[in-house]
Amino acid sequence: MEKEILLTIKNLTVKYKTDDGIAEAVNNISFQLHKGETLGLVGETGAGKTTTGLSILRLLPERTAEITEGEIIFKGENLLDIPKNEMSVIRGKQISMIFQDPMTSLNPVYTVGSQIEESIFLHNRDLTNPQIKEKADEMLELVGITPERRDDYPHQFSGGMKQRVVIAMALACDPELVIADEPTTALDVTIQAQVLRMMDELKRKYGTSMIMITHDFGVVAKTCDTVAVVYAGEIIEYGTVQDIFEDDKHHPYTTGLFHSLPNMNQDTERLQPIEGLMPDPMALPAGCKFHTRCPHCFDKCKTVLPQDIDFNGHMIKCHLYSKEV
Ligand code: SF4
């Protein structure tokens, strides 16, 4: 059966105006997300992952950021064409976002119950107060917090519990798409595993689609169906989670990311970090953006932008795989 497409991003290009010049944050990114699936956007800090997430919600800073090209088609409609007031209805109700730091989303002076109730009320004005309260209690229970704690304040919860509250708020209006931006990075490893498991269970229960923004391949392995590896604002490799973890063919950047991770099955004395730094988005190199760090770089890489090479849906943007090397 053909899978239903929920979101299509086509040639998304985002630039930031800064005092020092124009930063090319997202460069011609395209991908699709199917209903009920999770796509991982993976890469180092500054690769353009969060900017892509904020573009979908139209939450980029208006004065400095500009989407110069592209389309964001959600359920058949280009989100970039719809008026601002309609977008605020879609935000929260149909698409919601979970940020890395729960305190970005929680107000320290309101009880957690009232904050969940507010997010339900904003998108369900026809519900009565008792119905809203009941739904908020249901959401707390769903994320493993007893409703008796509804009158507690955020500071009375641990980091992991606060993130559970944020997830309850994000899911309170049954959104079809959740964008989770490093949702477990601020948590310790055990709590991280619990929160990821809970998110995965909720996703399956409600058929929610998700974009998981992360730098952590462990998170990708646990939660994602498809993966887009992002470097300097471009998707340089895209495939199913099996393509990324089991295929022998990879973009040299993805290979570098894997080598910089500890491997439980191998005796390794030292990890091998990728040498050098991601290029300055205000002065991106010509040709392949990774050529300044790539151990396989050859002349063509320095001048010619590589195109996607397609291995049955596993896409790799690298001259090593093109026939005319
Ligand atoms: Fe390395 Fe060249 Fe491939 Fe870029 S195109 S990743 S520089 S081999």
Side-chain angles (χ1 to χ4, degrees):
M1 203 173 66
E2 188 104 326
K3 289 187 206 164
E4 195 180 331
I5 294 165
L6 183 73
L7 176 79
T8 303
I9 304 241
K10 277 191 209 160
N11 308 113
L12 182 69
T13 304
V14 186
K15 299 185 196 297
Y16 288 102
K17 278 178 252 153
T18 76
D19 289 344
D20 300 321
I22 303 287
E24 298 177 84
V26 173
N27 301 304
N28 213 10
I29 273 185
S30 300
F31 62 81
Q32 284 189 331
L33 176 65
H34 293 109
K35 232 174 166 271
E37 290 197 347
T38 298
L39 169 105
L41 281 181
V42 199
E44 292 165 285
T45 304
K49 309 180 303 284
T50 299
T51 298
T52 303
L54 293 174
S55 304
I56 298 168
L57 280 163
R58 301 247 313 260
L59 280 178
L60 290 169
E62 281 187 14
R63 292 179 56 193
T64 52
E66 192 187 353
I67 297 178
T68 56
E69 209 190 313
E71 292 179 3
I72 299 174
I73 317 281
F74 177 70
K75 291 168 58 183
E77 195 171 19
N78 186 359
L79 296 182
L80 301 180
D81 286 343
I82 67 171
K84 269 190 196 169
N85 57 341
E86 281 180 36
M87 195 61 216
S88 60
V89 177
I90 290 178
R91 234 180 267 134
K93 178 84 182 145
Q94 295 188 46
I95 310 176
S96 62
M97 188 148 183
I98 300 168
F99 294 94
Q100 176 176 340
D101 176 5
M103 289 316 287
T104 313
S105 314
L106 292 173
N107 188 326
V109 299
Y110 290 104
T111 64
V112 298
S114 64
Q115 296 187 59
I116 300 174
E117 283 169 25
E118 191 190 5
S119 78
I120 297 168
F121 170 72
L122 282 174
H123 298 286
N124 299 281
R125 305 251 174 188
D126 50 336
L127 291 184
T128 62
N129 281 344
Q131 285 172 323
I132 291 174
K133 223 175 183 72
E134 193 184 328
K135 173 90 179 159
D137 284 355
E138 227 175 76
M139 294 314 298
L140 277 173
E141 263 186 322
L142 202 67
V143 296
I145 298 175
T146 160
E148 279 79 67
R149 297 207 60 187
R150 78 171 79 80
D151 296 326
D152 287 349
Y153 291 87
H155 75 269
Q156 294 171 284
F157 290 82
S158 66
M161 294 290 259
K162 280 201 269 268
Q163 197 58 306
R164 283 170 186 259
V165 174
V166 170
I167 292 167
M169 281 167 66
L171 297 178
C173 298
D174 306 322
E176 287 171 72
L177 171 61
V178 173
I179 302 170
D181 190 357
E182 306 273 7
T184 55
T185 304
L187 309 177
D188 69 46
V189 183
T190 344
I191 308 296
Q192 187 180 76
Q194 281 173 13
V195 171
L196 287 177
R197 210 174 308 123
M198 186 199 76
M199 286 175 75
D200 203 47
E201 279 165 20
L202 294 176
K203 187 196 90 176
R204 283 172 206 285
K205 187 166 175 186
Y206 293 102
T208 317
S209 307
M210 199 175 284
I211 294 179
M212 179 65 77
I213 296 174
T214 181
H215 65 277
D216 185 338
F217 270 117
V219 172
V220 172
K222 284 192 198 103
T223 58
C224 297
D225 301 287
T226 49
V227 186
V229 184
V230 187
Y231 185 81
E234 287 179 355
I235 292 177
I236 50 89
E237 183 162 352
Y238 177 87
T240 62
V241 77
Q242 290 80 12
D243 290 335
I244 301 298
F245 287 95
E246 291 168 20
D247 202 335
D248 298 334
K249 288 185 279 301
H250 287 299
H251 189 283
Y253 175 62
T254 314
T255 307
L257 287 179
F258 276 121
H259 285 165
S260 59
L261 293 174
N263 185 339
M264 306 286 275
N265 305 318
Q266 253 175 27
D267 249 352
T268 316
E269 282 189 16
R270 275 174 170 271
L271 298 177
Q272 298 167 352
I274 305 171
E275 301 231 338
L277 296 172
M278 185 134 51
D280 180 348
M282 281 187 282
L284 290 175
C288 170
K289 309 278 185 295
F290 188 57
H291 85 248
T292 52
R293 303 169 77 186
C294 180
H296 307 288
C297 174
F298 51 101
D299 282 350
K300 185 178 177 184
C301 307
K302 296 178 188 169
T303 52
V304 182
L305 184 70
Q307 301 301 310
D308 285 327
I309 313 290
D310 184 354
F311 301 98
N312 292 324
H314 179 190
M315 318 284 279
I316 303 178
K317 203 189 275 286
C318 172
H319 291 311
L320 284 178
Y321 297 98
S322 81
K323 291 193 183 81
E324 319 95 52
V325 170

